[in-house]
Amino acid sequence: TQLSAVTSQASPIAQSAPPFSLKLAAQAPIATIQFVPMACRPLVSGALAACVGDLVQLAIFPKFVLATPARRGKRHKLASLIASRVHKWDSLSVEERFLKFATIVRDVKKSTRHLAAQIEPFLRAERLARAGFISKAVRALRAEKMATSDDATLTELRLLHPRSRDQPCAARVEPAADFEVDELSVLTSLKSFPLGSAPGASGLRPEHLRDCCTCAAQQLLEPLSKVVQLVARGRFSTESEVGRDYLFAARLIPLLKKPGSSSRIRPIAVGEVLRRLAAKVLLSQGQDQTREYFVGRHQLGIAVRDGCTAAVHTFNAVLQVFERGYVLLKIDFANAFNNCSRKVFLREGASVTPHLYQFLKSAYLHPSSLFLHDSAEVVLSDEGAQQGDPVGPLAFALVAAMLDREL
């Protein structure tokens, strides 16, 4: 499958046509290291710079080069191990890389023992503590547990991701002529990711890109900025199923809710870093336009600093003023993000946030694949906005603003 870029100039997104399955890369049970060792960052930066424009190769690079080493047998220095993997990667042709990756995945699956969901929080807490994130490790012990990947969980996840009622339609909206993604905005958006942010299905982490863009003799920032601009503008062919799936697929994590909730599971979709990075760049560049539209409307979720705090203090003040006999009604949408109409927020986005429209269209005009944690099953998402997508709250707010306008 070829991935092509639709642009008037030569595209930094390369083309490769090896036999490839995104499902193989996404569901390979291979964890990636949290940070790139400092001694080998220039080497990894150069290797990433050479393949960041080829989305198909980028899908396997993290688990090929940056996989967490096994804790058995002879101990190796991590920087030396990563450097040897980069040299191995560079020595192989494109076809050989995919054949080698398939072999790695097969060997890992033979030796991997799937752990029970009950001990997963303890393993996550241990990994975070070893990486130096003590507060995150404590929160992991208190966090919601993951549901087991069985038939009941799969059925509920598919119910929580309903099929589209109306096929979304694309509008003819061109991005602003002066819209440019520069290296500073990309680097600033990379640094805005919280430490310990989760990777997407490929295993690529924000820290990997940040480490490789800020090291001495880095080579990644310029080609990365060009690719982010193409992704933000929607300037790549959506006819390429592999490329589209890589950018807009996500890991699906089924968290167990507290007893008494309307549903047993809270689905969290963790998208690819490249997609989240492009979304952050777009949101930062269009924040003035977004603020102008939403400020003054009946909402505190978008473009309002400390909106939740303001809501809590306002309600407390109102309740003290009211006499007895008054009640405050608090309502909640069931499965709100997955039920908001893509047709509506694409239509609203075309007029309210034209700088975001091309990206929204690329992400949500077609169904995307959600790869279920610890399972070979895939859930298709063709309605609603993904929880975990930086533009997801804005997409939901566009639908809510339309409802408020009609009411």
Side-chain angles (χ1 to χ4, degrees):
T1 304
Q2 289 191 347
L3 176 66
S4 59
V6 180
T7 177
S8 58
Q9 301 177 352
S11 167
I13 293 188
Q15 298 181 1
S16 58
F20 173 72
S21 168
L22 179 69
K23 186 177 180 180
L24 174 69
Q27 297 183 327
I30 302 175
T32 53
I33 56 178
Q34 189 73 45
F35 302 100
V36 180
M38 188 171 296
C40 63
R41 285 178 186 177
L43 194 62
V44 177
S45 177
L48 268 175
C51 71
V52 71
D54 190 330
L55 301 184
V56 181
Q57 291 194 68
L58 190 60
I60 68 169
F61 181 88
K63 293 181 180 179
F64 190 110
V65 174
L66 302 173
T68 303
R71 293 186 186 175
R72 61 178 183 271
K74 184 179 179 180
R75 296 179 64 88
H76 297 276
K77 188 176 179 181
L78 183 58
S80 300
L81 179 61
I82 299 300
S84 67
R85 291 175 181 172
V86 173
H87 292 311
K88 181 68 174 177
W89 171 273
D90 290 338
S91 68
L92 299 175
S93 67
V94 174
E95 290 77 10
E96 289 171 338
R97 289 171 183 172
F98 288 97
L99 293 174
K100 179 64 176 177
F101 182 74
T103 303
I104 293 172
V105 173
R106 184 172 63 248
D107 293 343
V108 168
K109 285 186 175 180
K110 286 181 180 178
S111 61
T112 299
R113 295 180 302 168
H114 293 286
L115 299 167
Q118 286 78 7
I119 65 172
E120 180 65 25
F122 298 98
L123 296 177
R124 174 170 167 75
E126 181 187 6
R127 289 196 298 267
L128 289 169
R130 288 182 179 274
F133 305 124
I134 305 302
S135 59
K136 282 181 175 287
V138 173
R139 288 198 297 271
L141 293 174
R142 303 172 57 188
E144 298 165 313
K145 295 181 180 179
M146 279 192 292
T148 54
S149 300
D150 52 21
D151 291 340
T153 298
L154 180 61
T155 300
E156 188 164 353
L157 285 171
R158 285 180 172 153
L159 289 174
L160 291 172
H161 293 84
R163 302 310 303 266
S164 177
R165 297 178 291 275
D166 299 307
Q167 184 64 29
C169 303
R172 292 186 176 180
V173 179
E174 290 297 325
D178 59 348
F179 174 74
E180 295 289 339
V181 175
D182 55 50
E183 295 180 11
L184 178 60
S185 62
V186 170
L187 190 57
T188 302
S189 297
L190 266 179
K191 292 179 178 180
S192 71
F193 280 95
L195 289 176
S197 294
S202 71
L204 186 65
R205 299 176 181 270
E207 285 89 350
H208 298 158
L209 296 180
R210 184 163 54 218
D211 290 345
C212 292
C213 286
T214 56
C215 66
Q218 67 84 21
Q219 307 171 48
L220 179 60
L221 187 55
E222 181 181 355
L224 177 63
S225 300
K226 292 179 179 178
V227 172
V228 167
Q229 175 153 320
L230 284 180
V231 174
R233 289 188 170 192
R235 294 291 182 88
F236 56 89
S237 175
T238 54
E239 296 175 358
S240 170
E241 184 178 351
V242 171
R244 186 176 65 246
D245 265 1
Y246 168 75
L247 277 175
F248 302 113
R251 289 193 303 132
L252 185 58
I253 301 176
L255 298 179
L256 289 172
K257 287 186 174 181
K258 296 179 181 179
S261 302
S262 57
S263 63
R264 183 177 66 97
I265 292 174
R266 183 194 313 280
I268 301 297
V270 184
E272 278 302 318
V273 171
L274 193 57
R275 174 244 188 100
R276 288 147 62 191
L277 176 60
K280 280 177 171 286
V281 170
L282 283 167
L283 289 172
S284 65
Q285 294 201 1
Q287 58 184 350
D288 292 338
Q289 187 177 5
T290 305
R291 184 182 296 110
E292 181 180 352
Y293 177 78
F294 280 103
V295 169
R297 297 180 181 269
H298 301 145
Q299 62 88 34
L300 293 171
I302 298 292
V304 178
R305 189 176 182 83
D306 296 329
C308 289
T309 303
V312 170
H313 286 297
T314 301
F315 286 150
N316 285 336
V318 170
L319 287 174
Q320 292 177 5
V321 173
F322 278 163
E323 299 176 357
R324 290 187 177 182
Y326 288 89
V327 296
L328 175 65
L329 176 63
K330 174 187 169 185
I331 60 175
D332 186 17
F333 291 104
N335 197 27
F337 270 49
N338 289 328
N339 279 318
C340 65
S341 169
R342 291 189 179 183
K343 181 178 180 179
V344 171
F345 71 65
L346 284 175
R347 184 189 67 217
E348 295 291 308
S351 58
V352 177
T353 56
H355 66 287
L356 266 170
Y357 178 73
Q358 299 298 334
F359 178 81
L360 285 173
K361 183 181 73 173
S362 298
Y364 291 113
L365 188 62
H366 302 279
S368 53
S369 301
L370 305 179
F371 298 102
L372 183 58
H373 169 79
D374 198 18
S375 170
E377 300 293 338
V378 178
V379 176
L380 282 182
S381 171
D382 61 356
E383 187 69 297
Q386 290 182 8
Q387 293 195 48
D389 183 0
V391 300
L394 177 61
F396 175 76
L398 289 170
V399 177
M402 185 273 294
L403 287 174
D404 178 65
R405 196 165 60 241
E406 291 188 353
L407 292 174

